[in-house]
Amino acid sequence: SGTLTVSELADKLNKDSSEIIKNLLFLGVMATKNQDLDDDAIELICSEYDVEVEKEIILEDTDFDKYIEEDDPKDLKERPAVVTIMGHVDHGKTTLLDAIRQSKVTAGEAGGITQHIGAYQIEVNDKKITFLDTPGHEAFTSMRSRGAEVTDLAILVVAADDGVMPQTVEALNHAKAAEVPIIVAVNKMDKDTANPDRVMQELTEYEIIPEDWGGDTIFVPISALTNQGIDELLEMILLVAEMQELKANPNTHAFGTVIEAELDRGRGAVATLLVQNGTLHVGDSIVVGNTFGRVRAMLNDVGKRVKEAGPSTPVEITGLNEVPQAGDQFLVFADEKKARQIGEARHQQAILETRSEHTKVSLDDLFEHI
Ligand code: GDP
Ligand code: MG
């Protein structure tokens, strides 16, 4: 797995290729000008010249983009939508997430839902939908994967008895900025004081206009408490998802995003991952943010052990050397050695970045006091 050719290394070191080749020979490595060098050989040569570019060379390759191959369009298959529920505090987000989850639990799983992994998947009309159980703003601010959104669709919950509130506006601005389609769930319709027309009226100010009024936003009146309108809301989610033609390649190395992570006393680092492309397997060598390891065990959203997880599937994994952070990206590598190299390099890089940030801060502080 070469990262540099002899002549590229020579350029970096400002030496002649022939000199590098001679040195390599001296170190017992036969190489030609255009030959790829492995990291060990690069390190050896660099230390010969007392050059600290060693790190720089390795760090160049910490970007996941370098290891992700473009998918052939013919390998792409339909994948479930990833949905985030947003809205003002107390408008019913948690109640709605619970109601959806309860309504679609199969009998066999009913007892299994004891744990909480930050995301879950349900099935409606033979199609899956993944719900992120994270505060909506986090799903948009920290959870971007390779510049793209983790969320495909936002449900904006607005309580019909309260109307549009500051966090409603904040939420819709996030979704708009991310160009993620919005479905409005007008909640608490069971209340005598419910006034859905007012909600619609107020949202027009933000260019969210119901279809009935000539706009293109779907509004669904619901009650998360009585389950009124939940099935219709789910059908609308499927409809919008279908129009998006969401696709992924299930037959490639998995990549995706960390939904949440923590240190468990017994199990060590535990991370909930959302697979966004490819399929994740038990035993895979993986880099997660600045951590790495092999996937030791994998649990699905109802706490069942699984061996693999395809696109749009949330799973909880163990086997990482340290605890990654929510919003970190992960990528599976073909072999353990590569994963370790990249993981360690990313860790080093993070330390260097923190250090230079500190230096910058202290310099700024200094100037402030002059
Ligand atoms: P969140 O802050 O958006 O997560 O809101 P919660 O789900 O915690 O709900 C806030 C309060 O509103 C709780 O007391 C819920 O029981 C109540 N609530 C949520 N949905 C409904 C609903 O459809 N009807 C009524 N009457 N109360 C609701
Ligand atoms: Mg809540």
Side-chain angles (χ1 to χ4, degrees):
S1 57
T3 49
L4 280 179
T5 64
V6 170
S7 67
E8 282 166 347
L9 178 62
D11 281 350
K12 286 204 183 275
L13 295 171
N14 234 342
K15 305 279 172 199
D16 274 342
S17 290
S18 58
E19 192 182 323
I20 303 291
I21 291 170
K22 225 184 286 172
N23 266 302
L24 280 166
L25 206 58
F26 191 67
L27 295 164
V29 181
M30 289 256 266
T32 58
K33 211 175 144 178
N34 296 317
Q35 190 165 327
D36 277 338
L37 292 172
D38 63 21
D39 292 345
D40 290 344
I42 293 170
E43 251 171 71
L44 276 171
I45 290 294
C46 288
S47 64
E48 279 295 296
Y49 290 108
D50 260 341
V51 173
E52 276 252 26
V53 291
E54 172 199 333
K55 257 184 204 129
E56 195 191 321
I57 290 168
I58 295 170
L59 290 183
E60 272 182 11
D61 287 329
T62 57
D63 196 345
F64 282 164
D65 281 344
K66 296 211 168 163
Y67 304 94
I68 296 172
E69 284 159 34
E70 188 94 24
D71 290 309
D72 190 328
K74 73 171 167 36
D75 295 330
L76 299 178
K77 303 254 153 49
E78 194 181 330
R79 66 165 176 84
V82 178
V83 179
T84 299
I85 296 187
M86 314 175 83
H88 195 72
V89 64
D90 284 343
H91 279 200
K93 299 179 293 293
T94 303
T95 311
L96 176 58
L97 270 164
D98 289 346
I100 292 170
R101 188 167 191 170
Q102 299 304 327
S103 73
K104 294 298 161 189
V105 172
T106 60
E109 287 172 344
I113 305 176
T114 46
Q115 64 166 46
H116 165 94
I117 74 162
Y120 66 79
Q121 213 171 43
I122 60 159
E123 218 173 278
V124 185
N125 305 339
D126 293 328
K127 298 219 185 249
K128 288 177 174 156
I129 307 171
T130 302
F131 287 90
L132 291 184
D133 188 1
T134 53
H137 61 275
E138 258 175 51
F140 282 94
T141 48
S142 65
M143 291 194 195
R144 286 206 152 85
S145 189
R146 305 175 72 221
E149 302 302 327
V150 167
T151 303
D152 299 309
L153 210 169
I155 305 298
L156 184 64
V157 178
V158 188
D161 63 338
D162 203 23
V164 171
M165 298 300 279
Q167 287 166 296
T168 314
V169 177
E170 205 179 295
L172 70 87
N173 283 336
H174 274 304
K176 276 188 167 183
E179 293 178 26
V180 166
I182 297 171
I183 292 178
V184 180
V186 184
N187 193 30
K188 307 200 184 184
M189 287 298 289
D190 59 288
K191 285 194 158 184
D192 292 339
T193 47
N195 186 352
D197 281 348
R198 185 178 129 212
V199 174
M200 292 196 270
Q201 188 63 54
E202 286 172 345
L203 282 174
T204 58
E205 263 181 59
Y206 304 93
E207 277 126 46
I208 294 188
I209 301 163
E211 288 181 315
D212 290 352
W213 296 2
D216 56 9
T217 304
I218 295 171
F219 280 63
V220 187
I222 65 161
S223 166
L225 211 62
T226 67
N227 282 349
Q228 175 198 335
I230 302 292
D231 284 343
E232 198 193 341
L233 177 63
L234 296 175
E235 268 162 37
M236 291 303 138
I237 291 172
L238 287 181
L239 189 81
V240 174
E242 203 166 297
M243 292 193 295
Q244 287 177 290
E245 295 181 23
L246 305 167
K247 286 182 174 160
N249 176 7
N251 297 310
T252 187
H253 291 167
F255 81 73
T257 300
V258 178
I259 303 298
E260 50 185 37
E262 58 171 19
L263 189 64
D264 182 278
R265 270 174 170 237
R267 297 185 294 160
V270 176
T272 299
L273 308 180
L274 177 73
V275 178
Q276 293 177 276
N277 199 44
T279 296
L280 183 64
H281 307 87
V282 169
D284 277 350
S285 298
I286 192 170
V287 177
V288 185
N290 305 320
T291 74
F292 64 90
R294 286 187 75 191
V295 178
R296 193 161 62 217
M298 203 149 75
L299 300 178
N300 69 8
D301 56 342
V302 292
K304 267 199 198 123
R305 267 175 182 269
V306 288
K307 290 217 168 81
E308 53 177 45
S312 299
T313 309
V315 275
E316 191 185 76
I317 68 154
T318 54
L320 300 175
N321 68 329
E322 279 180 68
V323 182
Q325 293 183 332
D328 278 350
Q329 291 167 29
F330 73 84
L331 179 64
V332 165
F333 286 84
D335 64 277
E336 204 171 354
K337 189 174 161 228
K338 194 75 194 166
R340 172 183 290 270
Q341 263 173 10
I342 307 286
E344 277 172 355
R346 286 173 69 100
H347 183 77
Q348 281 301 322
Q349 191 177 38
I351 291 171
L352 290 176
E353 273 166 14
T354 320
R355 249 188 233 150
S356 67
E357 254 164 45
H358 282 171
T359 316
K360 212 172 125 214
V361 168
S362 54
L363 277 179
D364 285 347
D365 285 350
L366 191 70
F367 286 122
E368 215 162 78
H369 293 291
I370 289 173

